[in-house]
Amino acid sequence: MPVPETPAEVLVDELNRFRGRMCGLIESWGLPERQERGAISTLKSLSYDTQAVITEVLEDLEGQVLSLAADQRHTQ
């Protein structure tokens, strides 16, 4: 597996790892199958929504950093 290079790639890797661990935890609770599926589905939905928001913030920050760097180059 390639090493992640960007903050967004690190985020994806870490949240995938988080989801896997949390799904394993939910499965270990011994819930009835329907409740287990519901809990896992909810976890995945919430974490993918969160991932999308964080990715958008990272992209905005990256754009701001690049803009600041360009401004600094122009003022020198």
Side-chain angles (χ1 to χ4, degrees):
M1 178 192 290
V3 176
E5 296 179 10
T6 67
E9 290 172 335
V10 171
L11 174 68
V12 168
D13 285 350
E14 290 301 318
L15 283 175
N16 284 340
R17 187 174 298 114
F18 170 77
R19 279 187 281 273
R21 289 178 177 168
M22 291 302 295
C23 288
L25 175 65
I26 292 169
E27 290 168 355
S28 76
W29 292 342
L31 296 171
E33 186 176 334
R34 186 172 178 184
Q35 288 178 336
E36 181 180 297
R37 283 194 321 262
I40 288 173
S41 177
T42 300
L43 167 72
K44 287 181 177 181
S45 177
L46 291 171
S47 66
Y48 281 114
D49 288 349
T50 299
Q51 180 177 327
V53 171
I54 295 171
T55 298
E56 186 175 318
V57 170
L58 286 173
E59 290 170 354
D60 288 347
L61 288 172
E62 183 179 7
Q64 290 175 18
V65 167
L66 292 174
S67 177
L68 286 172
D71 289 347
Q72 286 179 347
R73 282 194 300 270
H74 292 308
T75 59
Q76 292 177 349

